[in-house]
Amino acid sequence: MTSPEMTPEEQTELDKALYDALNPLASALRSRASGLPEDRMWNADPVDVALSVLGAWKVVDTEVKRLTAIAAGTAGSYGASYEQMGAVWGITRQGARKKWPEAVNRPVSGSARTSAPLELCGGTAELMQETPSGGWMWAGTGADGTRGAADGGTRYATKEEAAAHAGAFLKEHAVDRR
């Protein structure tokens, strides 16, 4: 698999979506930094406005990197190799391993488990596969600090089933930030 190419129309739509998402963030960041109401953000000194937009792009860049690492970890947990991830990202296998060192899970020497991280709704869970049984379990902590695990040591037949149960737990224990 190679890196996907966008059409000019897709590029235009992506730009529009990103700017639509960025403007409220830039306004909120500027408002907090300046103490001015968000609706007056664009009436400020042009340098201050441009720097606010640049700062908002930095926040977006950091978030994209975090989400990219999660996507790489997900791909690795399903069996993708660093060579495959590097090909998609347009870098070498070694570059992919350096960029996402935890993406491809390997059992610890002598370990009876394979594990994969799951981040959702502000919480985290670990999906664990026991060998030789092959059953999957989960344990995690919700965004509200509540800890949970597969009921009574339940073993699920597939990783996806364990992830669904862990995801439901993480969603139930998310923190409402409205």
Side-chain angles (χ1 to χ4, degrees):
M1 177 178 223
T2 59
S3 182
E5 297 294 326
M6 286 195 297
T7 66
E9 295 81 15
E10 291 168 333
Q11 181 69 55
T12 299
E13 287 298 313
L14 178 60
D15 288 352
K16 181 183 179 322
L18 289 172
Y19 282 118
D20 287 348
L22 182 77
N23 284 335
L25 176 62
S27 293
L29 293 174
R30 174 85 181 122
S31 176
R32 282 196 298 274
S34 68
L36 296 172
E38 287 185 32
D39 62 345
R40 293 193 41 219
M41 185 267 193
W42 301 110
N43 297 333
D45 180 303
V47 171
D48 291 338
V49 171
L51 290 173
S52 295
V53 170
L54 181 61
W57 279 120
K58 173 62 177 159
V59 170
V60 170
D61 181 58
T62 300
E63 185 63 9
V64 166
K65 287 177 182 171
R66 185 184 72 81
L67 293 172
T68 300
I70 291 170
T74 300
S77 72
Y78 283 110
S81 67
Y82 281 118
E83 184 175 359
Q84 291 170 308
M85 286 186 256
V88 167
W89 203 251
I91 57 178
T92 65
R93 172 183 54 82
Q94 294 88 345
R97 180 173 294 171
K98 184 176 180 182
K99 187 168 195 63
W100 306 297
E102 303 297 321
V104 176
N105 294 307
R106 294 184 185 86
V108 177
S109 179
S111 171
R113 292 185 175 176
T114 299
S115 65
L118 175 66
E119 294 181 32
L120 189 65
C121 301
T124 60
E126 193 75 18
L127 306 175
M128 299 157 289
Q129 183 181 34
E130 281 195 342
T131 55
S133 75
W136 285 87
M137 305 172 295
W138 68 271
T141 304
D144 65 0
T146 303
R147 294 182 180 273
D151 293 333
T154 301
R155 305 295 188 269
Y156 301 101
T158 65
K159 180 186 206 173
E160 292 76 13
E161 187 179 5
H165 286 273
F169 168 82
L170 294 174
K171 183 177 178 186
E172 182 179 329
H173 294 283
V175 175
D176 187 6
R177 298 178 192 237
R178 283 187 244 158

